[in-house]
Amino acid sequence: MEDILDIYEKPYDPAVPVVCMDEKPYHLPGGEAREPLPIRRGDTRKTDSEYVRGGTYSIFVFVEPLGGM
């Protein structure tokens, strides 16, 4: 880990850019697993916490921290 931190202390060199990557996975809800109970007068909607999974995707971010961008 110390070797990686030493890279960030080096001065900026456009010929040798330092590029960092980060990934954030997300899941896509596909809908309700069960139909919600009917609403009664003066009550709130009753839903189940279970859901149908609709798939996943990931967001990737690439940055050049020493370049100031």
Side-chain angles (χ1 to χ4, degrees):
M1 182 67 174
E2 289 81 16
D3 295 335
I4 294 172
L5 295 176
D6 290 340
I7 292 174
Y8 295 114
E9 293 179 355
K10 292 182 179 182
Y12 176 67
D13 182 4
V16 185
V18 175
V19 179
C20 302
M21 187 271 294
D22 192 14
E23 175 188 9
K24 176 81 175 185
Y26 285 95
H27 73 276
L28 299 168
E32 302 282 343
R34 295 176 188 85
E35 287 296 318
L37 296 174
I39 298 175
R40 295 181 295 195
R41 184 177 297 246
D43 207 354
T44 58
R45 183 176 179 187
K46 306 289 192 232
T47 58
D48 195 343
S49 61
E50 187 177 350
Y51 62 92
V52 176
R53 189 171 180 167
T56 61
Y57 68 98
S58 295
I59 295 176
F60 293 92
V61 176
F62 295 88
V63 295
E64 184 181 6
L66 298 178
M69 299 192 175

Short mmCIF file of all heavy atoms in Angstrom, two decimals:
data_model
loop_
_atom_site.label_atom_id
_atom_site.label_comp_id
_atom_site.label_asym_id
_atom_site.label_seq_id
_atom_site.Cartn_x
_atom_site.Cartn_y
_atom_site.Cartn_z
N MET A 1 0.82 -1.19 0.00
CA MET A 1 0.00 0.00 0.00
C MET A 1 0.87 1.25 0.00
O MET A 1 0.54 2.23 -0.64
CB MET A 1 -0.91 -0.04 1.23
CG MET A 1 -1.84 1.12 1.32
SD MET A 1 -3.03 1.03 -0.02
CE MET A 1 -4.08 2.34 0.37
N GLU A 2 1.98 1.19 0.73
CA GLU A 2 2.86 2.36 0.78
C GLU A 2 3.43 2.69 -0.59
O GLU A 2 3.64 3.85 -0.93
CB GLU A 2 4.01 2.14 1.78
CG GLU A 2 3.56 2.16 3.23
CD GLU A 2 2.95 0.83 3.67
OE1 GLU A 2 3.14 -0.20 2.98
OE2 GLU A 2 2.27 0.83 4.70
N ASP A 3 3.68 1.64 -1.40
CA ASP A 3 4.20 1.87 -2.76
C ASP A 3 3.20 2.64 -3.61
O ASP A 3 3.57 3.51 -4.39
CB ASP A 3 4.52 0.54 -3.43
CG ASP A 3 5.65 -0.21 -2.73
OD1 ASP A 3 6.48 0.45 -2.07
OD2 ASP A 3 5.70 -1.44 -2.85
N ILE A 4 1.94 2.31 -3.44
CA ILE A 4 0.90 3.01 -4.20
C ILE A 4 0.80 4.46 -3.75
O ILE A 4 0.68 5.38 -4.57
CB ILE A 4 -0.45 2.29 -4.05
CG1 ILE A 4 -0.36 0.92 -4.70
CG2 ILE A 4 -1.58 3.10 -4.67
CD1 ILE A 4 -1.54 0.03 -4.45
N LEU A 5 0.85 4.71 -2.45
CA LEU A 5 0.76 6.08 -1.95
C LEU A 5 1.95 6.91 -2.38
O LEU A 5 1.82 8.13 -2.58
CB LEU A 5 0.64 6.06 -0.42
CG LEU A 5 -0.64 5.43 0.11
CD1 LEU A 5 -0.61 5.37 1.63
CD2 LEU A 5 -1.87 6.15 -0.38
N ASP A 6 3.11 6.29 -2.57
CA ASP A 6 4.29 7.02 -3.05
C ASP A 6 4.09 7.55 -4.47
O ASP A 6 4.63 8.58 -4.84
CB ASP A 6 5.53 6.12 -3.01
CG ASP A 6 6.00 5.83 -1.59
OD1 ASP A 6 5.61 6.60 -0.67
OD2 ASP A 6 6.73 4.85 -1.40
N ILE A 7 3.30 6.84 -5.26
CA ILE A 7 3.04 7.29 -6.64
C ILE A 7 2.33 8.64 -6.63
O ILE A 7 2.64 9.52 -7.44
CB ILE A 7 2.19 6.24 -7.38
CG1 ILE A 7 3.02 4.98 -7.60
CG2 ILE A 7 1.68 6.79 -8.71
CD1 ILE A 7 2.25 3.82 -8.18
N TYR A 8 1.40 8.84 -5.69
CA TYR A 8 0.66 10.10 -5.64
C TYR A 8 1.51 11.28 -5.17
O TYR A 8 1.14 12.43 -5.38
CB TYR A 8 -0.56 9.96 -4.74
CG TYR A 8 -1.58 8.98 -5.27
CD1 TYR A 8 -1.84 7.79 -4.60
CD2 TYR A 8 -2.27 9.24 -6.43
CE1 TYR A 8 -2.77 6.89 -5.09
CE2 TYR A 8 -3.20 8.35 -6.93
CZ TYR A 8 -3.44 7.17 -6.25
OH TYR A 8 -4.35 6.28 -6.74
N GLU A 9 2.63 11.00 -4.54
CA GLU A 9 3.51 12.08 -4.07
C GLU A 9 4.48 12.56 -5.15
O GLU A 9 5.11 13.59 -4.99
CB GLU A 9 4.30 11.62 -2.85
CG GLU A 9 3.42 11.39 -1.63
CD GLU A 9 4.20 10.91 -0.43
OE1 GLU A 9 5.42 10.66 -0.55
OE2 GLU A 9 3.59 10.78 0.64
N LYS A 10 4.58 11.83 -6.24
CA LYS A 10 5.48 12.23 -7.32
C LYS A 10 4.93 13.47 -8.04
O LYS A 10 3.73 13.67 -8.09
CB LYS A 10 5.64 11.09 -8.34
CG LYS A 10 6.37 9.89 -7.79
CD LYS A 10 6.53 8.84 -8.86
CE LYS A 10 7.29 7.65 -8.30
NZ LYS A 10 7.51 6.62 -9.32
N PRO A 11 5.80 14.29 -8.59
CA PRO A 11 5.32 15.46 -9.35
C PRO A 11 4.63 15.02 -10.64
O PRO A 11 4.90 13.95 -11.18
CB PRO A 11 6.59 16.26 -9.64
CG PRO A 11 7.70 15.29 -9.48
CD PRO A 11 7.25 14.24 -8.52
N TYR A 12 3.74 15.87 -11.13
CA TYR A 12 2.98 15.56 -12.33
C TYR A 12 3.89 15.51 -13.54
O TYR A 12 4.69 16.40 -13.78
CB TYR A 12 1.89 16.61 -12.54
CG TYR A 12 1.12 16.41 -13.82
CD1 TYR A 12 0.30 15.30 -13.98
CD2 TYR A 12 1.20 17.32 -14.86
CE1 TYR A 12 -0.42 15.09 -15.15
CE2 TYR A 12 0.48 17.13 -16.03
CZ TYR A 12 -0.32 16.02 -16.17
OH TYR A 12 -1.02 15.82 -17.32
N ASP A 13 3.77 14.42 -14.32
CA ASP A 13 4.53 14.25 -15.55
C ASP A 13 3.54 13.84 -16.64
O ASP A 13 3.00 12.74 -16.61
CB ASP A 13 5.60 13.17 -15.37
CG ASP A 13 6.47 12.98 -16.60
OD1 ASP A 13 6.30 13.74 -17.58
OD2 ASP A 13 7.33 12.07 -16.57
N PRO A 14 3.26 14.73 -17.63
CA PRO A 14 2.28 14.38 -18.67
C PRO A 14 2.70 13.18 -19.52
O PRO A 14 1.86 12.53 -20.13
CB PRO A 14 2.16 15.65 -19.51
CG PRO A 14 3.29 16.52 -19.13
CD PRO A 14 3.80 16.06 -17.80
N ALA A 15 3.99 12.85 -19.55
CA ALA A 15 4.46 11.70 -20.32
C ALA A 15 4.13 10.38 -19.61
O ALA A 15 4.06 9.33 -20.25
CB ALA A 15 5.96 11.80 -20.57
N VAL A 16 3.96 10.44 -18.27
CA VAL A 16 3.65 9.25 -17.49
C VAL A 16 2.44 9.57 -16.61
O VAL A 16 2.57 9.85 -15.43
CB VAL A 16 4.85 8.81 -16.61
CG1 VAL A 16 4.55 7.51 -15.90
CG2 VAL A 16 6.11 8.71 -17.43
N PRO A 17 1.23 9.54 -17.17
CA PRO A 17 0.05 9.90 -16.37
C PRO A 17 -0.29 8.81 -15.33
O PRO A 17 -0.06 7.63 -15.55
CB PRO A 17 -1.06 10.02 -17.41
CG PRO A 17 -0.62 9.16 -18.53
CD PRO A 17 0.89 9.21 -18.54
N VAL A 18 -0.81 9.26 -14.21
CA VAL A 18 -1.32 8.36 -13.18
C VAL A 18 -2.84 8.34 -13.32
O VAL A 18 -3.50 9.35 -13.14
CB VAL A 18 -0.91 8.83 -11.76
CG1 VAL A 18 -1.55 7.96 -10.70
CG2 VAL A 18 0.60 8.84 -11.62
N VAL A 19 -3.37 7.19 -13.69
CA VAL A 19 -4.81 7.05 -13.92
C VAL A 19 -5.38 6.10 -12.88
O VAL A 19 -4.85 5.02 -12.66
CB VAL A 19 -5.10 6.52 -15.34
CG1 VAL A 19 -6.59 6.35 -15.56
CG2 VAL A 19 -4.50 7.45 -16.38
N CYS A 20 -6.46 6.53 -12.22
CA CYS A 20 -7.13 5.72 -11.20
C CYS A 20 -8.50 5.29 -11.72
O CYS A 20 -9.14 6.02 -12.45
CB CYS A 20 -7.32 6.52 -9.92
SG CYS A 20 -5.78 7.12 -9.24
N MET A 21 -8.90 4.09 -11.31
CA MET A 21 -10.19 3.55 -11.74
C MET A 21 -10.99 3.16 -10.50
O MET A 21 -10.44 2.62 -9.54
CB MET A 21 -9.98 2.33 -12.63
CG MET A 21 -11.25 1.78 -13.27
SD MET A 21 -12.16 0.55 -12.35
CE MET A 21 -11.08 -0.82 -12.29
N ASP A 22 -12.29 3.46 -10.53
CA ASP A 22 -13.19 3.05 -9.46
C ASP A 22 -14.43 2.44 -10.09
O ASP A 22 -14.87 2.87 -11.15
CB ASP A 22 -13.56 4.25 -8.59
CG ASP A 22 -14.25 3.82 -7.30
OD1 ASP A 22 -14.21 2.63 -6.95
OD2 ASP A 22 -14.84 4.69 -6.63
N GLU A 23 -15.00 1.43 -9.42
CA GLU A 23 -16.17 0.74 -9.93
C GLU A 23 -17.26 0.75 -8.87
O GLU A 23 -17.00 0.57 -7.70
CB GLU A 23 -15.83 -0.71 -10.27
CG GLU A 23 -17.01 -1.54 -10.69
CD GLU A 23 -16.67 -3.01 -10.84
OE1 GLU A 23 -15.57 -3.42 -10.46
OE2 GLU A 23 -17.54 -3.75 -11.33
N LYS A 24 -18.50 1.00 -9.29
CA LYS A 24 -19.65 0.99 -8.39
C LYS A 24 -20.72 0.09 -8.98
O LYS A 24 -21.34 0.42 -9.99
CB LYS A 24 -20.19 2.42 -8.21
CG LYS A 24 -21.43 2.53 -7.39
CD LYS A 24 -21.12 2.49 -5.93
CE LYS A 24 -22.42 2.72 -5.17
NZ LYS A 24 -22.28 2.82 -3.79
N PRO A 25 -20.94 -1.12 -8.39
CA PRO A 25 -21.99 -1.99 -8.91
C PRO A 25 -23.37 -1.58 -8.40
O PRO A 25 -23.51 -1.11 -7.27
CB PRO A 25 -21.60 -3.36 -8.38
CG PRO A 25 -20.80 -3.09 -7.16
CD PRO A 25 -20.13 -1.75 -7.37
N TYR A 26 -24.38 -1.73 -9.22
CA TYR A 26 -25.77 -1.43 -8.87
C TYR A 26 -26.65 -2.61 -9.29
O TYR A 26 -26.29 -3.37 -10.18
CB TYR A 26 -26.28 -0.19 -9.60
CG TYR A 26 -25.74 1.10 -9.07
CD1 TYR A 26 -24.64 1.70 -9.63
CD2 TYR A 26 -26.36 1.73 -7.99
CE1 TYR A 26 -24.14 2.90 -9.15
CE2 TYR A 26 -25.87 2.93 -7.50
CZ TYR A 26 -24.77 3.50 -8.08
OH TYR A 26 -24.29 4.68 -7.60
N HIS A 27 -27.79 -2.73 -8.67
CA HIS A 27 -28.77 -3.73 -9.12
C HIS A 27 -30.02 -3.00 -9.59
O HIS A 27 -30.36 -1.93 -9.12
CB HIS A 27 -29.11 -4.73 -8.01
CG HIS A 27 -29.96 -4.16 -6.93
ND1 HIS A 27 -29.46 -3.45 -5.87
CD2 HIS A 27 -31.29 -4.19 -6.74
CE1 HIS A 27 -30.44 -3.06 -5.08
NE2 HIS A 27 -31.57 -3.50 -5.59
N LEU A 28 -30.67 -3.61 -10.56
CA LEU A 28 -31.88 -3.05 -11.14
C LEU A 28 -33.09 -3.78 -10.57
O LEU A 28 -33.22 -4.99 -10.80
CB LEU A 28 -31.87 -3.19 -12.66
CG LEU A 28 -30.74 -2.49 -13.39
CD1 LEU A 28 -30.69 -2.94 -14.83
CD2 LEU A 28 -30.94 -0.99 -13.31
N PRO A 29 -33.95 -3.11 -9.83
CA PRO A 29 -35.15 -3.80 -9.35
C PRO A 29 -36.08 -4.08 -10.52
O PRO A 29 -36.29 -3.24 -11.39
CB PRO A 29 -35.77 -2.81 -8.36
CG PRO A 29 -35.19 -1.49 -8.72
CD PRO A 29 -33.85 -1.75 -9.35
N GLY A 30 -36.63 -5.29 -10.54
CA GLY A 30 -37.49 -5.69 -11.65
C GLY A 30 -38.96 -5.54 -11.36
O GLY A 30 -39.79 -5.69 -12.24
N GLY A 31 -39.31 -5.25 -10.12
CA GLY A 31 -40.72 -5.09 -9.79
C GLY A 31 -41.06 -5.76 -8.47
O GLY A 31 -40.21 -6.21 -7.73
N GLU A 32 -42.34 -5.82 -8.20
CA GLU A 32 -42.84 -6.40 -6.95
C GLU A 32 -42.88 -7.92 -7.05
O GLU A 32 -43.29 -8.47 -8.08
CB GLU A 32 -44.25 -5.88 -6.65
CG GLU A 32 -44.35 -4.37 -6.54
CD GLU A 32 -43.84 -3.86 -5.20
OE1 GLU A 32 -43.72 -4.65 -4.26
OE2 GLU A 32 -43.57 -2.65 -5.13
N ALA A 33 -42.48 -8.62 -5.98
CA ALA A 33 -42.58 -10.08 -5.95
C ALA A 33 -44.01 -10.51 -5.66
O ALA A 33 -44.45 -11.56 -6.10
CB ALA A 33 -41.63 -10.64 -4.90
N ARG A 34 -44.74 -9.71 -4.90
CA ARG A 34 -46.14 -9.98 -4.56
C ARG A 34 -46.94 -8.70 -4.77
O ARG A 34 -46.42 -7.60 -4.61
CB ARG A 34 -46.26 -10.41 -3.10
CG ARG A 34 -45.59 -11.72 -2.80
CD ARG A 34 -45.69 -12.03 -1.31
NE ARG A 34 -44.90 -13.19 -0.98
CZ ARG A 34 -43.60 -13.15 -0.71
NH1 ARG A 34 -42.96 -12.02 -0.73
NH2 ARG A 34 -42.94 -14.26 -0.43
N GLU A 35 -48.20 -8.86 -5.12
CA GLU A 35 -49.07 -7.70 -5.29
C GLU A 35 -49.29 -7.02 -3.92
O GLU A 35 -49.51 -7.71 -2.92
CB GLU A 35 -50.42 -8.12 -5.86
CG GLU A 35 -50.36 -8.49 -7.33
CD GLU A 35 -49.97 -7.30 -8.19
OE1 GLU A 35 -50.47 -6.17 -7.96
OE2 GLU A 35 -49.16 -7.50 -9.10
N PRO A 36 -49.23 -5.69 -3.87
CA PRO A 36 -49.51 -5.00 -2.61
C PRO A 36 -50.95 -5.23 -2.16
O PRO A 36 -51.85 -5.46 -2.98
CB PRO A 36 -49.29 -3.53 -2.94
CG PRO A 36 -48.53 -3.51 -4.23
CD PRO A 36 -48.83 -4.78 -4.93
N LEU A 37 -51.16 -5.20 -0.86
CA LEU A 37 -52.51 -5.34 -0.32
C LEU A 37 -53.34 -4.12 -0.70
O LEU A 37 -52.80 -3.02 -0.85
CB LEU A 37 -52.47 -5.49 1.19
CG LEU A 37 -51.76 -6.73 1.73
CD1 LEU A 37 -51.66 -6.67 3.25
CD2 LEU A 37 -52.47 -7.99 1.29
N PRO A 38 -54.63 -4.31 -0.87
CA PRO A 38 -55.47 -3.15 -1.22
C PRO A 38 -55.47 -2.10 -0.10
O PRO A 38 -55.38 -2.44 1.08
CB PRO A 38 -56.86 -3.75 -1.40
CG PRO A 38 -56.78 -5.18 -1.03
CD PRO A 38 -55.37 -5.54 -0.79
N ILE A 39 -55.57 -0.85 -0.51
CA ILE A 39 -55.57 0.26 0.45
C ILE A 39 -56.96 0.35 1.08
O ILE A 39 -57.98 0.34 0.40
CB ILE A 39 -55.20 1.58 -0.24
CG1 ILE A 39 -53.79 1.48 -0.82
CG2 ILE A 39 -55.29 2.74 0.73
CD1 ILE A 39 -53.38 2.69 -1.61
N ARG A 40 -56.97 0.46 2.42
CA ARG A 40 -58.23 0.67 3.13
C ARG A 40 -58.31 2.13 3.52
O ARG A 40 -57.28 2.82 3.65
CB ARG A 40 -58.27 -0.21 4.37
CG ARG A 40 -58.30 -1.69 4.02
CD ARG A 40 -58.37 -2.53 5.26
NE ARG A 40 -57.14 -2.35 6.03
CZ ARG A 40 -56.74 -3.15 7.01
NH1 ARG A 40 -57.47 -4.16 7.38
NH2 ARG A 40 -55.62 -2.93 7.63
N ARG A 41 -59.48 2.61 3.73
CA ARG A 41 -59.68 4.02 4.10
C ARG A 41 -58.90 4.34 5.38
O ARG A 41 -58.97 3.62 6.37
CB ARG A 41 -61.16 4.28 4.32
CG ARG A 41 -61.47 5.74 4.62
CD ARG A 41 -62.94 5.95 4.76
NE ARG A 41 -63.59 5.62 3.50
CZ ARG A 41 -64.20 6.52 2.75
NH1 ARG A 41 -64.28 7.75 3.15
NH2 ARG A 41 -64.74 6.18 1.61
N GLY A 42 -58.12 5.42 5.32
CA GLY A 42 -57.34 5.86 6.48
C GLY A 42 -56.07 5.07 6.73
O GLY A 42 -55.43 5.22 7.76
N ASP A 43 -55.68 4.22 5.80
CA ASP A 43 -54.49 3.39 5.98
C ASP A 43 -53.49 3.70 4.86
O ASP A 43 -53.83 4.32 3.86
CB ASP A 43 -54.90 1.91 5.93
CG ASP A 43 -53.94 1.02 6.72
OD1 ASP A 43 -52.91 1.54 7.19
OD2 ASP A 43 -54.23 -0.19 6.85
N THR A 44 -52.26 3.26 5.02
CA THR A 44 -51.24 3.44 3.99
C THR A 44 -51.11 2.17 3.17
O THR A 44 -51.57 1.10 3.56
CB THR A 44 -49.88 3.79 4.61
OG1 THR A 44 -49.51 2.74 5.50
CG2 THR A 44 -49.94 5.10 5.36
N ARG A 45 -50.43 2.26 2.04
CA ARG A 45 -50.25 1.11 1.16
C ARG A 45 -49.32 0.11 1.83
O ARG A 45 -48.28 0.46 2.38
CB ARG A 45 -49.65 1.59 -0.16
CG ARG A 45 -49.47 0.49 -1.16
CD ARG A 45 -48.96 1.05 -2.47
NE ARG A 45 -48.78 -0.05 -3.40
CZ ARG A 45 -48.22 0.09 -4.57
NH1 ARG A 45 -47.81 1.27 -4.97
NH2 ARG A 45 -48.08 -0.94 -5.36
N LYS A 46 -49.65 -1.16 1.77
CA LYS A 46 -48.85 -2.24 2.36
C LYS A 46 -48.11 -2.98 1.25
O LYS A 46 -48.73 -3.57 0.37
CB LYS A 46 -49.75 -3.24 3.10
CG LYS A 46 -50.65 -2.60 4.13
CD LYS A 46 -49.85 -2.12 5.31
CE LYS A 46 -50.79 -1.76 6.44
NZ LYS A 46 -50.61 -0.48 6.99
N THR A 47 -46.79 -2.89 1.26
CA THR A 47 -45.99 -3.59 0.27
C THR A 47 -44.99 -4.51 0.96
O THR A 47 -44.60 -4.27 2.10
CB THR A 47 -45.22 -2.60 -0.62
OG1 THR A 47 -44.39 -1.79 0.21
CG2 THR A 47 -46.15 -1.73 -1.43
N ASP A 48 -44.57 -5.53 0.25
CA ASP A 48 -43.58 -6.48 0.76
C ASP A 48 -42.19 -5.94 0.44
O ASP A 48 -41.99 -5.28 -0.57
CB ASP A 48 -43.81 -7.84 0.08
CG ASP A 48 -43.09 -8.97 0.79
OD1 ASP A 48 -42.18 -8.68 1.59
OD2 ASP A 48 -43.45 -10.13 0.56
N SER A 49 -41.21 -6.26 1.28
CA SER A 49 -39.84 -5.79 1.03
C SER A 49 -39.12 -6.66 0.00
O SER A 49 -38.06 -6.29 -0.48
CB SER A 49 -39.05 -5.75 2.33
OG SER A 49 -38.98 -7.06 2.89
N GLU A 50 -39.68 -7.81 -0.35
CA GLU A 50 -39.07 -8.67 -1.36
C GLU A 50 -39.33 -8.08 -2.74
O GLU A 50 -40.39 -7.51 -3.00
CB GLU A 50 -39.67 -10.08 -1.28
CG GLU A 50 -38.98 -11.06 -2.18
CD GLU A 50 -39.54 -12.46 -2.03
OE1 GLU A 50 -40.32 -12.71 -1.11
OE2 GLU A 50 -39.19 -13.30 -2.86
N TYR A 51 -38.35 -8.21 -3.63
CA TYR A 51 -38.49 -7.67 -4.98
C TYR A 51 -37.93 -8.67 -5.99
O TYR A 51 -37.18 -9.58 -5.63
CB TYR A 51 -37.78 -6.32 -5.14
CG TYR A 51 -36.29 -6.40 -4.91
CD1 TYR A 51 -35.42 -6.62 -5.97
CD2 TYR A 51 -35.75 -6.27 -3.64
CE1 TYR A 51 -34.06 -6.71 -5.76
CE2 TYR A 51 -34.39 -6.35 -3.42
CZ TYR A 51 -33.55 -6.57 -4.49
OH TYR A 51 -32.21 -6.66 -4.29
N VAL A 52 -38.28 -8.50 -7.24
CA VAL A 52 -37.76 -9.31 -8.33
C VAL A 52 -36.52 -8.61 -8.86
O VAL A 52 -36.57 -7.42 -9.16
CB VAL A 52 -38.81 -9.47 -9.45
CG1 VAL A 52 -38.23 -10.23 -10.63
CG2 VAL A 52 -40.05 -10.14 -8.91
N ARG A 53 -35.43 -9.34 -8.95
CA ARG A 53 -34.18 -8.75 -9.42
C ARG A 53 -34.23 -8.58 -10.94
O ARG A 53 -34.55 -9.50 -11.68
CB ARG A 53 -33.02 -9.64 -9.02
CG ARG A 53 -31.69 -9.02 -9.28
CD ARG A 53 -30.62 -9.86 -8.66
NE ARG A 53 -29.33 -9.25 -8.91
CZ ARG A 53 -28.24 -9.59 -8.31
NH1 ARG A 53 -28.26 -10.54 -7.41
NH2 ARG A 53 -27.10 -9.01 -8.58
N GLY A 54 -33.91 -7.40 -11.40
CA GLY A 54 -33.97 -7.09 -12.82
C GLY A 54 -32.63 -7.08 -13.51
O GLY A 54 -32.53 -6.72 -14.67
N GLY A 55 -31.56 -7.44 -12.83
CA GLY A 55 -30.23 -7.45 -13.43
C GLY A 55 -29.27 -6.55 -12.67
O GLY A 55 -29.62 -5.95 -11.65
N THR A 56 -28.07 -6.44 -13.16
CA THR A 56 -27.05 -5.60 -12.54
C THR A 56 -26.31 -4.80 -13.61
O THR A 56 -26.34 -5.15 -14.79
CB THR A 56 -26.02 -6.44 -11.76
OG1 THR A 56 -25.36 -7.32 -12.67
CG2 THR A 56 -26.66 -7.23 -10.64
N TYR A 57 -25.68 -3.74 -13.17
CA TYR A 57 -24.79 -2.97 -14.03
C TYR A 57 -23.73 -2.33 -13.17
O TYR A 57 -23.86 -2.26 -11.95
CB TYR A 57 -25.54 -1.94 -14.88
CG TYR A 57 -26.16 -0.80 -14.10
CD1 TYR A 57 -25.50 0.43 -14.01
CD2 TYR A 57 -27.38 -0.94 -13.48
CE1 TYR A 57 -26.07 1.48 -13.31
CE2 TYR A 57 -27.96 0.11 -12.77
CZ TYR A 57 -27.29 1.31 -12.69
OH TYR A 57 -27.84 2.34 -11.99
N SER A 58 -22.65 -1.87 -13.77
CA SER A 58 -21.56 -1.23 -13.04
C SER A 58 -21.22 0.09 -13.70
O SER A 58 -21.28 0.22 -14.92
CB SER A 58 -20.32 -2.12 -13.02
OG SER A 58 -20.56 -3.30 -12.31
N ILE A 59 -20.86 1.05 -12.86
CA ILE A 59 -20.40 2.34 -13.34
C ILE A 59 -18.89 2.40 -13.10
O ILE A 59 -18.43 2.11 -11.99
CB ILE A 59 -21.09 3.50 -12.60
CG1 ILE A 59 -22.59 3.48 -12.91
CG2 ILE A 59 -20.47 4.84 -12.97
CD1 ILE A 59 -23.37 4.52 -12.15
N PHE A 60 -18.14 2.73 -14.12
CA PHE A 60 -16.69 2.85 -14.01
C PHE A 60 -16.30 4.32 -14.14
O PHE A 60 -16.81 5.03 -15.02
CB PHE A 60 -15.98 2.05 -15.10
CG PHE A 60 -16.16 0.56 -14.96
CD1 PHE A 60 -17.19 -0.08 -15.60
CD2 PHE A 60 -15.29 -0.17 -14.18
CE1 PHE A 60 -17.37 -1.44 -15.47
CE2 PHE A 60 -15.45 -1.54 -14.04
CZ PHE A 60 -16.49 -2.18 -14.69
N VAL A 61 -15.38 4.77 -13.30
CA VAL A 61 -14.89 6.14 -13.34
C VAL A 61 -13.37 6.09 -13.45
O VAL A 61 -12.71 5.38 -12.67
CB VAL A 61 -15.30 6.92 -12.09
CG1 VAL A 61 -14.70 8.31 -12.10
CG2 VAL A 61 -16.80 6.97 -11.95
N PHE A 62 -12.81 6.81 -14.40
CA PHE A 62 -11.37 6.92 -14.55
C PHE A 62 -10.97 8.38 -14.35
O PHE A 62 -11.56 9.27 -14.98
CB PHE A 62 -10.94 6.45 -15.95
CG PHE A 62 -11.19 4.99 -16.19
CD1 PHE A 62 -12.41 4.55 -16.68
CD2 PHE A 62 -10.22 4.06 -15.89
CE1 PHE A 62 -12.64 3.20 -16.90
CE2 PHE A 62 -10.44 2.71 -16.09
CZ PHE A 62 -11.65 2.29 -16.59
N VAL A 63 -10.02 8.62 -13.48
CA VAL A 63 -9.56 9.99 -13.20
C VAL A 63 -8.05 10.04 -13.22
O VAL A 63 -7.37 9.04 -13.02
CB VAL A 63 -10.08 10.50 -11.83
CG1 VAL A 63 -11.59 10.63 -11.84
CG2 VAL A 63 -9.63 9.61 -10.72
N GLU A 64 -7.54 11.23 -13.46
CA GLU A 64 -6.11 11.48 -13.41
C GLU A 64 -5.88 12.52 -12.31
O GLU A 64 -5.90 13.73 -12.54
CB GLU A 64 -5.61 12.01 -14.76
CG GLU A 64 -4.12 12.18 -14.81
CD GLU A 64 -3.65 12.73 -16.14
OE1 GLU A 64 -4.46 13.07 -16.99
OE2 GLU A 64 -2.42 12.84 -16.28
N PRO A 65 -5.70 12.08 -11.05
CA PRO A 65 -5.66 13.01 -9.93
C PRO A 65 -4.51 14.01 -9.97
O PRO A 65 -4.67 15.15 -9.57
CB PRO A 65 -5.55 12.10 -8.71
CG PRO A 65 -5.01 10.83 -9.21
CD PRO A 65 -5.48 10.70 -10.62
N LEU A 66 -3.36 13.61 -10.46
CA LEU A 66 -2.22 14.53 -10.50
C LEU A 66 -2.37 15.57 -11.61
O LEU A 66 -1.75 16.63 -11.56
CB LEU A 66 -0.91 13.76 -10.68
CG LEU A 66 -0.56 12.77 -9.57
CD1 LEU A 66 0.72 12.04 -9.88
CD2 LEU A 66 -0.48 13.47 -8.22
N GLY A 67 -3.22 15.29 -12.59
CA GLY A 67 -3.45 16.23 -13.69
C GLY A 67 -4.42 17.33 -13.33
O GLY A 67 -4.63 18.26 -14.09
N GLY A 68 -5.06 17.23 -12.17
CA GLY A 68 -6.00 18.25 -11.74
C GLY A 68 -7.32 18.20 -12.48
O GLY A 68 -8.06 19.17 -12.53
N MET A 69 -7.66 17.07 -13.06
CA MET A 69 -8.92 16.95 -13.80
C MET A 69 -9.85 15.99 -13.13
O MET A 69 -9.55 15.09 -12.53
CB MET A 69 -8.65 16.51 -15.21
CG MET A 69 -7.79 17.48 -15.95
SD MET A 69 -7.81 17.06 -17.68
CE MET A 69 -6.89 18.40 -18.30
#
